[in-house]
Amino acid sequence: MGVECLEEIMKKLASILMAVVLMVAMPLATFADNLLDSAELFVDAEDDEKPEGKDRSEKKEDRDEKKEDRDEKKEDREEKKEERDEKIEDRQEKKEELESDREEKKDEIEAKRTEKAAERIEKFNNKKKIDTDEEAVKNKIEDLESLLERLENFLGEDEVEKLELELAESEEETEGTDIDTESESDTESDTEEETDTEEETDTEEDPAVASAKEMFKKYKEDVKASKDELKTLRNDAKDLRSEIRDIIKADYTEEEMEALNTLVEELKVEFDDIKVLGVDNIISNKAEFKFDVPPVIKGGRTLIPVNAISKGFGADVAWDGEERKVTITKDDKVIEIWIDTNNATVDGEEVVLDAKAEVLSDRTVVPLGFIAEALGLKVEWNPEDETIELNDDSDDDDDDSDDDDEPEDETNDSDDESTETE
């Protein structure tokens, strides 16, 4: 019983082992067959691709030709690389030349600007000397006229009329042509008689009166000479202002001047009550500024572009679109101006403007008198050439600006015809 069971077990194990062997052997046989088939195909393909009639020398020639082609392509690549390098060098040289030209032009512009600034300052210094001389002459005239008034009261109206008549006749004789010699001889005896009469009168005249007459004549001549000197000084100052204006205009390009002239014509059409000033009508001893909108006189008040003026004198300008407000800051001073109103503040204190701030061609313009006072500027209006001087005299000892006339007070009598920017 035990033997039979053992045999049965052995048979089953043999069957299982055979099955395992068959399972392993069959895939291996299949793999081997496939491998052989692939090898045969490879050999067949190699035989098919093999050129007929080519020997080793032909293969060598082919390899040499391919090598030559590769060498030629390499040379072409090297040539192209050299061309690219040359182009890069050319571009670099041109770039360096352009940068050098730009630097030279920049230096030239800066040198010209420095030269013009120095020239402008020199002319303003000369003008300041003329202003000082003019003030001294004006004071001298006032003193002389005060003395003459006292002499007139002392001498009396009749005596003053006689003296003025004598001075007028003397002036006419001085300015007239030479008197005919024959006529002089005919009147010589009469003149001698008159002189004798005058000498007799003088001898009888009160010495105080005689002295007063002589002083009156002298002071009158001094007044006339001083007024002539004052006229000369004012003409010299006007010539200097003209030269300064030429320097200012030279800072504008032709395109900028054309744009300004076009804007002037547009402003004339848009506003009937406006007088346009030239951009060179505003001059300053220290600040440099350029306008893209010219200053104007409207309703007898001068309105000036706030951005250009404020920045020219070192202030910062900010725009608040929601409140339509301009804020100007310089040092510790803060100025706020609301557009289309007469409202403004200086360091928080409310100020009522005598003319509204408004917008002209996208630029805010404000009353000149207000902005000048707020920024501590001295304003001088020259009606002869409609020039406005804005001078910062904060560093100077002479800070008396109360006696200067502002253009707002002078321009009421100005012509309605606009002055175009030249």
Side-chain angles (χ1 to χ4, degrees), residues 167 172 185 287 316 394:
L167 289 170
E172 288 177 3
S185 60
D316 295 323
S394 56

Side-chain angles (χ1 to χ4, degrees), residues 310-366:
S310 300
K311 289 183 176 179
F313 285 97
D316 295 323
V317 182
W319 166 253
D320 187 339
E322 292 184 4
E323 291 192 46
R324 290 177 58 78
K325 178 183 71 173
V326 176
T327 302
I328 304 163
T329 307
K330 184 181 180 184
D331 300 328
D332 297 331
K333 187 180 288 293
V334 179
I335 306 163
E336 294 176 308
I337 308 169
W338 282 265
I339 306 301
D340 294 329
T341 73
N342 296 81
N343 301 327
T345 64
V346 179
D347 292 336
E349 295 185 7
E350 294 185 0
V351 179
V352 179
L353 307 180
D354 57 2
K356 292 181 180 179
E358 55 184 282
V359 175
L360 293 179
S361 297
D362 298 327
R363 292 291 180 270
T364 303
V365 292
V366 298

